[in-house]
Amino acid sequence: MTVSAVSLHARRRAVRLWLLVVAAMMVLTLVVGGATRLTESGLSITEWKPVLGVVPPLSDADWQAEFQKYQSIPQYREVNRGMSLDAFKTIYWWEWSHRLLARTIGAVFFFPFVFFLWRGWIEPHLRKRLWLIFGGGAALGAVGWWMVSSGLTERTSVSQYRLAFHLTLACTIYAAIVWTAQQVLPRPPVLAPSRTRNLALLIALLVLGQIYLGALVAGLDAGLVYNTWPLIDGHVIPDGARLWFDTPWWRNLFENHLTVQFQHRMLAYLIWILAMLHAADALRLPRGDRARTLALIVAALVTVQAGIGIATLLLVVPLDLAITHQAMAVVVLTVAVIHAERLRHRVERRPLDVPAGVVEHAT
């Protein structure tokens, strides 16, 4: 191997490590964001100060000023009236930590990115994608404030529409980072039938959709009602009049507690069935094949996640289980994305630097 080849490989490894660090920080931010929502802490900071907001209250007077701002919004007046300053500090630190993590991710992404561009370490086919990811991250911060602002004047919580959009956008950016990190270092292509590749990608997309529906459930506190399983509202399939009583009909998909929870359950069943079929199909592949292994892991993780979701529902959403359920959703998404990306290659599109004939056979 030549010196130049070693240098190229080292550069690619550095870029990949940077992306994986950003992805890991996003996982932490998603978990903290989930805890912030579950503890109803998201409205504790009533202003958006992208730079000055990094500094928390440092004196008793600062804390009193922040508390007075919170006391002016509906959530305090209608839900938390009489809250002590110490209790306010608890919810404030959750929201402040979430925002600080988000800002830190922006810095950890941007400054190494600029350095890698300056040094010529970002290969041409990745530059546009990474700029789009950075732009998406910047937009995510604005969407986060747009979400928070929905609960500062007339509501006692944020809009479930905006919450679901915010979380799904964050997970989409995260998935894009994980996908890109996998492509930085060229690897031998994985040969698999088209149905295997397509189903792997479909499962990853459905998991992202399920995260969106889960955010709607959280935004409506729909997990606090209909706490039975496998029946919901006394039926396997609830009465249509209760699923579609609101007008126009589409509002039921986003605002009807029963409909929102029901569609979250139904998509969970669909993902589980597809994951099982995908795993059964993958069992036909040779032992030790990476496509087979990842398909089985995806099926196992989906099953575990379903179990956690059922337990969270039956126990009426205890905080520790609810946070675990959201964190596990990110784990499922991660493995599903890695699996789908591994199967993206076709024989005729051999990655750079992979000698011809070096192929992982999955058929």
Side-chain angles (χ1 to χ4, degrees), residues 196 276-287 291-293 295-296:
T196 305
M276 293 302 111
L277 292 174
H278 185 55
D281 186 39
L283 286 174
R284 302 176 183 178
L285 305 176
R287 287 184 178 274
R292 169 188 170 122
T293 301
L296 295 176

Side-chain angles (χ1 to χ4, degrees), residues 15 40 47-48 56 76 78 81 87 91 93 102 138-139 154 156 179 192 202 237 255 279 283 289 311 317 331:
V15 171
E40 298 186 347
E47 297 175 321
W48 188 36
Y76 174 82
E78 299 178 29
R81 179 176 292 275
I91 63 173
W93 283 122
E154 299 178 357
T156 60
W179 186 285
L202 176 61
I237 299 178
E255 300 178 20
L283 286 174
D289 185 277
V317 197
V331 173

Side-chain angles (χ1 to χ4, degrees), residues 19-33 98 101 105 109 133 137 140 167 169-175 177 330:
L19 290 174
L20 291 177
V21 169
V22 173
M25 293 181 66
M26 287 199 70
V27 171
L28 178 60
T29 305
L30 286 166
V31 173
V32 172
H98 181 56
L101 281 169
I105 288 173
F109 187 97
I133 290 173
L140 183 62
L167 178 59
L169 178 59
C171 289
T172 301
I173 294 169
Y174 168 74
I177 292 173
V330 179

Side-chain angles (χ1 to χ4, degrees), residues 36-46 67 69-83 87-88 90-92 95 147-159 219 221:
T36 300
R37 170 66 190 91
L38 291 165
T39 56
E40 298 186 347
S41 305
L43 299 178
S44 58
I45 302 178
T46 60
F67 193 23
K69 293 173 186 175
Y70 178 66
Q71 289 172 325
S72 69
I73 69 172
Q75 186 183 76
Y76 174 82
R77 296 194 304 267
E78 299 178 29
V79 178
N80 291 328
R81 179 176 292 275
M83 169 183 275
F88 169 72
T90 298
I91 63 173
Y92 184 97
E95 175 64 7
M147 174 189 69
V148 170
S149 66
S150 68
L152 297 179
T153 54
E154 299 178 357
R155 301 170 56 97
T156 60
S157 61
V158 301
S159 163
D221 289 326

